[in-house]
Every structure is written in C-alpha cells, then in structure tokens.
Amino acid sequence: REVDPSEAEPAKVKEPRRPTFACYLAPSQYGPPGLYYHGQRQPKGDGDPAPFDVWICSPIECMAATHDERGDNHGLLLRFKSPYGPWRQWAMPLRLLKGSGEEMRGELMDMGVRINPDGFKPLHRWASQCRPDEVVVAATRVGWHRVEEALVFVMPRRTIAQGELARRITFQSEVAGQDEYATAGSLASWREAIGRLCSGNPLGVLSVSTALAGPLLHLCHRPTAGIHLVGDSSCGKTTW
C-alpha cells in the first residue's frame, strides 16, 4: 500500500534474505521509501557476517522486459516515483547500462528520481540483474505496429489499440521525456474554430482532411501522398 512519506510512521518490514534488493513504498526501519540494497559484510576472523543497508534511490520497479518485433533493441520497462509527483513509466534501452550507466541515471533524474550519490553502482547492478517474467514489444518509432496479428498505433505516451493489446507494446526511447504529441482545445472549440469555417467549403474540407490523413497512409499501403492546389495568385491557396 502506497503511503504519503510525510505522514507515515516507519513500518516494521520483514527482514530480507541477504544479499538482495528491495523496494519500499513507505518509510521503514531502514529509512525513507525507495530501492535498497541489503547486504552483509564478512568481518575479519570467524565472526558472523554483519548486515548493512544502502538506500539507492526513490521507489523504482521493473515491470517487464522489452524487445522489438525482430528480437533486438532489448530494454526494461521501469516504473518509478519522484517525491513530488505520480508514478511514471519509461521503457529504457539496455544500451544505456553501458559503462557506469550514467546516461540511465541522467534520464531518471530528469524525471524526478532521487539517486544516492554513493548508490550508482548498486543501481546499475540492480538494473543489470532484473529478470522480469513479463515481456512486451518495444516500439522504437512512432506509428503502426503489428502485435499478435493486429495493428496498433504507438505514440510516446499512448497506444491506440483494441482491448488489452495496448499493454503488449510500449514506446521505447533513450530520451525518456521525448514526446512531440500533445492535445489542445476541445471538440467544441475545434468545431467552432475549424469545422464551422469548412462548412460549405470543399477546399477547406480537403485541406483539413489532408492534414489529418498522415496516420492512415499505412493502411492504404502508401508511403507518402500530397495534393497540389492550382489556381491564380491571391485566390486563397496559401490560406488553406
């Protein structure tokens, strides 16, 4: 159960089997919410191993493994939470783990994840060791993709598909915040500002329809298309 860290009393959680990683969504006897490494050090001599606990970063979980339709571009679907915002998701390419994993940490920090300066090695090791059971398709480009013999349309933050197919594919990019798609206005405002002006105007209907037709070209087996408006100067070609 997720708890507001500012209001929660530290909870007593079950002692983990060391060495292991564990993610806590609420304060515990180990400290604030987050991903921890629970290890043990072997003392000199014949003494018992001494347990130790390291806070690595704010809460983060690995939801699924990813790869594209050809079995390449492997990655991890990560779910994480900053101290000030809701849960977010990012399909991270595994190539960002090369070297010390600095690129991965930079993207996570851009999205609000707090990372212990001394915890970058455990975070890198945690990501490298993740072996989730679920696997989803990684879409490395925006547009149409085929999943389980059905077509779906993938955008950075939304997948348009029937039923549960939207859960079987996700957009994957090295840049976590990449999203050139947005919504604005309302259906009523579009009708008033655009639809009303097109009423009874075939050229207006053609121009607006052409602007919205791009995603449909794939379904028509067309790589591209265009319309050339021909007419005298100052007759309204540029306006539409």
Side-chain angles (χ1 to χ4, degrees):
R1 184 173 65 89
E2 188 175 341
V3 180
D4 185 344
S6 63
E7 301 177 357
E9 292 292 331
K12 181 70 174 179
V13 298
K14 183 179 179 180
E15 174 68 17
R17 179 178 295 180
R18 301 168 186 267
T20 190
F21 292 95
C23 184
Y24 305 105
L25 305 184
S28 67
Q29 70 266 34
Y30 302 114
L35 178 68
Y36 283 78
Y37 177 68
H38 300 295
Q40 51 188 4
R41 297 185 180 92
Q42 185 64 41
K44 296 180 180 179
D46 298 328
D48 294 331
F52 70 93
D53 309 290
V54 177
W55 180 85
I56 300 173
C57 65
S58 46
I60 185 170
E61 299 172 345
C62 182
M63 308 300 293
T66 66
H67 60 70
D68 65 19
E69 296 94 330
R70 301 181 304 276
D72 299 324
N73 292 301
H74 285 251
L76 298 173
L77 181 58
L78 303 178
R79 178 176 179 261
F80 45 86
K81 190 178 189 303
S82 75
Y84 308 106
W87 284 92
R88 301 184 66 178
Q89 285 193 174
W90 173 38
M92 179 199 73
L94 281 181
R95 73 172 69 93
L96 296 191
L97 293 178
K98 64 181 183 292
S100 67
E102 182 175 348
E103 294 179 76
M104 172 193 68
R105 297 195 303 276
E107 292 298 324
L108 289 173
M109 294 175 73
D110 275 348
M111 291 183 288
V113 176
R114 299 295 194 267
I115 300 176
N116 180 354
D118 297 323
F120 70 92
K121 287 185 178 180
L123 178 60
H124 189 279
R125 188 162 64 250
W126 169 81
S128 299
Q129 294 177 358
C130 284
R131 299 291 188 275
D133 294 330
E134 186 175 358
V135 179
V136 301
V137 176
T140 57
R141 58 173 176 79
V142 171
W144 292 100
H145 295 264
R146 187 170 294 278
V147 178
E148 299 177 4
E149 303 305 319
L151 283 174
V152 301
F153 194 86
V154 178
M155 295 182 289
R157 299 188 187 277
R158 183 185 177 190
T159 297
I160 301 174
Q162 293 183 347
E164 292 295 312
L165 283 180
R167 295 172 52 87
R168 304 300 306 153
I169 188 169
T170 186
F171 182 72
Q172 180 168 295
S173 171
E174 293 185 5
V175 182
Q178 176 181 340
D179 189 358
E180 299 176 351
Y181 297 80
T183 58
S186 63
L187 178 59
S189 65
W190 273 79
R191 284 173 172 169
E192 175 63 23
I194 298 177
R196 181 177 59 84
L197 300 179
C198 293
S199 179
N201 187 332
L203 188 58
V205 173
L206 174 65
S207 300
V208 173
S209 299
T210 301
L212 301 175
L216 304 178
L217 292 177
H218 177 80
L219 303 180
C220 299
H221 306 287
R222 293 278 186 175
T224 185
I227 294 177
H228 186 194
L229 300 179
V230 180
D232 295 333
S233 177
S234 302
C235 68
K237 301 189 301 298
T238 303
T239 302
W240 286 106

